[in-house]
Amino acid sequence: MSYHPHLYSLAPFNPFHISSISHLSLSAGNYAPEDPEEARPSLDAVRKRFNNVYMNLAIVEDKRNRNRRVYSLNEFSPDAILMPDWEVLLVLSPLVNHLSSDTRDDYFCLFQNNAKTPAKPAGLLPFHHLKTFKCILPNSVRRLRPFYQPILTRSLKYWPGNDSESPELLRWNLITYESLSTEDDVILFVKGVNQRQGRNRSPSELRCVFGNDVTNGVRTEVTSSFQEVFRCRRPYEGPLIRLFPRSEEKIKVTLEVGEEKGVVPSVAYYQSTPQMLIGEEKSLLCACTMVYNVAKFLKEWVIYHSKLGVEKFILYDNGSDDGLEDVVEELVQEQYNVKTLFWPWSKTQEAGFSHCAVYAKDSCTWMMYVDVDEFVYSPSWLSSPYPSNQMLKSLLPSTSSSPWSSSEVWIDQLESDRRVGEIMIKCLEFGPSNQSSHPIQGVTQGYTCRTNGEQRHKSIVLLEAVDESLLNVIHHFQLKEGYRVKALTNEQGVVNHYKYQAWSEFKAKFRRRVSAYVVDWKQAMNPQSKDRTPGLGFAAIEPQGWANKFCEVNDSRLKMATERWFGFNSSTGYKMIWQY
């Protein structure tokens, strides 16, 4: 029997609890890689996985009497995923979701050699309300093979399991991590199946599997396979009811791949009702972005774009720990419509944008995909004494009568504009502008020197025009047949991208890139890529003269406009409204 190098056979265990077995030719020995994605199991461990039924016991404590209770792992244990940078993400089973996520409760992860590390609450997965915790894989465990899933506990001192019966850590490079149900189908978000951009498995090679016992699970056709996004037929309710007679029971869902019928490990659950953003009046213009530790930048970005016409903001949070929730709550209290979705999945920007395009379709007509360090404007607005909530909307089709539209440049006919599915806007990239720290009045005030010419484009997308594949690359979507992209000239609209900020801020980018298909800063690959910073190596070491780099054109246009629109005199000097 031959095994697919990235998947697991169905027999005889539950493959939802097993990790990737890629790179079978390397024995583990004492090999201790610097990155968990390089960690490889030994051949003996692989054979053991295919021969054992994992029925480990997990310890879950009763908070009321602090007595230990022992449950079957397959029912109650958290799914533990080895993420980049040796982080372990624990997703609690729906049946033990009563565990407190109060930071005053001192949980920790207990590992196979009795080493332990603090387990901190990470967030609540939004659609199934599953609690998550994070801990770090100890150095002493990194040299062991294989890696077993830790136990989440507050008082247990010794590893209670038999290693031969213990489930291994799931691996982030092969996993079904999220699902989204629509009226017509179920969308799965899966790492490791389509591993290279532009190279996608045929849907005919795939099946969606619904059920906690995948051997007897319900299978449906896959209709689309692009990047990390897979669309499946909805399962008939009858077979699911027979498998899961209790309506409250959570049903896992994943992909079955190839002739080997290997099944991708999963932490995703199926929900029969559509999971759309509803309950609000449909907005003409919204903004969606992926964020991590942007608390100090968020108010400026939200207030600016809100005053210019964005009605709703949707943030996919990669697990921020800088007080972002407090800033969002403050904005909400000030009547800004900001919604945050906990999205702990690393390097999934394209998938997150695809998710947003479906999730927000019923509540947003147009979606602006720009990052928190990017600000959209038209030079024609700069002489205005005040901002207007019609400014950004004037960039949309069929609004040529708007007072903010320039009649000499908006020459498209109305009928043609009705088929525009995406507005493409060029980016101007700003440098550190001699700043040594984050400008206290905001990025629009502090960074005023940029490179000559544009490097990238960002987009405003008509959600109903997005292709069923949800395919997107660098903030641009594949559109349905019959729709077209409208590229703005620099006179019509531009994006100020405050990309190369003061070194104290820019070096934080070395943590990780957000795109699934862009090499991380620390990986010594593709040194000439446009996605790399010119003159910057592979380590977070400040290049000589950084503060004055990327400065070819002095451009204070947006600085002067925002100062006029959002500045005011105070008892302690001139302030911008986002400083409060």
Side-chain angles (χ1 to χ4, degrees), residues 360-462:
K361 185 177 179 180
D362 291 342
S363 63
C364 300
T365 301
W366 289 85
M367 185 66 72
M368 186 169 73
Y369 287 96
V370 297
D371 297 329
V372 177
D373 59 357
E374 296 171 334
F375 290 71
V376 184
Y377 76 98
S378 169
S380 64
W381 309 337
L382 297 178
S383 60
S384 173
Y386 307 105
S388 164
N389 62 9
Q390 296 302 307
M391 285 178 167
L392 286 169
K393 294 170 184 174
S394 73
L395 302 179
L396 304 179
S398 305
T399 57
S400 57
S401 60
S402 166
W404 301 108
S405 299
S406 177
S407 58
E408 63 269 18
V409 296
W410 286 93
I411 59 176
D412 289 352
Q413 296 179 355
L414 182 62
E415 186 61 33
S416 176
D417 266 358
R418 286 176 178 161
R419 304 306 297 171
V420 170
E422 179 179 304
I423 305 296
M424 187 167 67
I425 314 171
K426 298 174 183 177
C427 292
L428 304 175
E429 295 185 347
F430 282 72
S433 306
N434 206 30
Q435 298 285 345
S436 59
S437 61
H438 175 64
I440 60 173
Q441 291 186 333
V443 297
T444 56
Q445 298 301 294
Y447 300 113
T448 57
C449 200
R450 62 173 174 84
T451 58
N452 188 20
E454 66 279 350
Q455 300 296 323
R456 293 287 191 186
H457 304 79
K458 297 301 168 78
S459 64
I460 306 175
V461 181
L462 179 65

Side-chain angles (χ1 to χ4, degrees), residues 130-193:
L130 300 178
K131 292 177 181 175
T132 63
F133 286 75
K134 278 187 179 181
C135 58
I136 299 296
L137 194 77
N139 288 331
S140 61
V141 178
R142 297 176 194 179
R143 293 186 174 278
L144 303 178
R145 292 296 180 275
F147 300 145
Y148 294 119
Q149 295 199 17
I151 293 167
L152 183 65
T153 182
R154 288 193 300 186
S155 59
L156 192 66
K157 295 181 179 179
Y158 301 105
W159 178 262
N162 182 335
D163 286 352
S164 65
E165 297 175 348
S166 298
E168 293 186 28
L169 274 174
L170 305 178
R171 303 296 176 86
W172 175 235
N173 58 4
L174 180 72
I175 197 163
T176 301
Y177 56 90
E178 189 59 87
S179 72
L180 181 68
S181 297
T182 74
E183 291 282 357
D184 303 316
D185 62 4
V186 179
I187 305 171
L188 300 189
F189 299 86
V190 186
K191 268 202 176 294
V193 175

Side-chain angles (χ1 to χ4, degrees), residues 253-544:
V253 58
T254 191
L255 279 183
E256 183 178 79
V257 182
E259 295 180 358
E260 303 91 341
K261 298 189 182 300
V263 177
V264 179
S266 177
V267 294
Y269 290 86
Y270 167 66
Q271 185 165 309
S272 59
T273 55
Q275 298 160 295
M276 303 293 108
L277 178 59
I278 56 176
E280 300 178 4
E281 183 178 351
K282 192 167 187 177
S283 301
L284 177 62
L285 180 61
C286 305
C288 179
T289 193
M290 192 164 290
V291 299
Y292 174 76
N293 283 0
V294 297
K296 70 174 69 172
F297 309 104
L298 188 65
K299 286 184 70 174
E300 179 182 11
W301 185 77
V302 167
I303 292 172
Y304 171 89
H305 287 102
S306 176
K307 298 302 183 183
L308 271 62
V310 173
E311 301 164 57
K312 193 176 300 174
F313 299 84
I314 305 173
L315 311 179
Y316 283 67
D317 182 13
N318 267 173
S320 300
D321 55 10
D322 66 339
L324 180 69
E325 289 183 0
D326 295 335
V327 176
V328 170
E329 179 60 29
E330 183 181 344
L331 287 165
V332 171
Q333 292 296 322
E334 294 174 2
Q335 305 305 308
Y336 294 97
N337 192 336
V338 185
K339 182 175 181 62
T340 303
L341 296 179
F342 178 57
W343 187 265
W345 319 118
S346 302
K347 291 181 70 67
T348 58
Q349 184 179 68
E350 295 86 355
F353 286 174
S354 296
H355 188 284
C356 187
V358 177
Y359 172 67
K361 185 177 179 180
D362 291 342
S363 63
C364 300
T365 301
W366 289 85
M367 185 66 72
M368 186 169 73
Y369 287 96
V370 297
D371 297 329
V372 177
D373 59 357
E374 296 171 334
F375 290 71
V376 184
Y377 76 98
S378 169
S380 64
W381 309 337
L382 297 178
S383 60
S384 173
Y386 307 105
S388 164
N389 62 9
Q390 296 302 307
M391 285 178 167
L392 286 169
K393 294 170 184 174
S394 73
L395 302 179
L396 304 179
S398 305
T399 57
S400 57
S401 60
S402 166
W404 301 108
S405 299
S406 177
S407 58
E408 63 269 18
V409 296
W410 286 93
I411 59 176
D412 289 352
Q413 296 179 355
L414 182 62
E415 186 61 33
S416 176
D417 266 358
R418 286 176 178 161
R419 304 306 297 171
V420 170
E422 179 179 304
I423 305 296
M424 187 167 67
I425 314 171
K426 298 174 183 177
C427 292
L428 304 175
E429 295 185 347
F430 282 72
S433 306
N434 206 30
Q435 298 285 345
S436 59
S437 61
H438 175 64
I440 60 173
Q441 291 186 333
V443 297
T444 56
Q445 298 301 294
Y447 300 113
T448 57
C449 200
R450 62 173 174 84
T451 58
N452 188 20
E454 66 279 350
Q455 300 296 323
R456 293 287 191 186
H457 304 79
K458 297 301 168 78
S459 64
I460 306 175
V461 181
L462 179 65
L463 293 184
E464 70 176 24
V466 172
D467 187 72
E468 292 298 314
S469 68
L470 302 175
L471 176 65
N472 67 92
V473 180
I474 314 175
H475 299 69
H476 296 285
F477 278 84
Q478 178 75 31
L479 301 179
K480 293 176 181 176
E481 186 175 355
Y483 286 93
R484 67 183 181 88
V485 175
K486 180 173 184 176
L488 300 187
T489 67
N490 284 6
E491 290 72 34
Q492 291 173 314
V494 294
V495 176
N496 272 15
H497 184 185
Y498 300 103
K499 181 176 181 179
Y500 306 113
Q501 298 188 18
W503 180 254
S504 59
E505 304 300 331
F506 184 83
K507 68 179 181 181
K509 292 178 178 286
F510 274 82
R511 174 181 179 267
R512 196 173 301 133
R513 303 296 288 271
V514 293
S515 170
Y517 303 103
V518 175
V519 173
D520 277 340
W521 296 95
K522 293 179 286 186
Q523 290 181 269
M525 298 171 61
N526 303 337
Q528 304 304 317
S529 170
K530 290 184 178 180
D531 292 306
R532 291 225 174 252
T533 300
L536 191 65
F538 306 110
I541 301 173
E542 182 175 0
Q544 186 175 3

Side-chain angles (χ1 to χ4, degrees), residues 93-105:
S93 161
L95 298 178
V96 289
N97 219 26
H98 65 276
L99 276 181
S100 171
S101 58
D102 193 323
T103 55
R104 293 171 295 181
D105 288 317

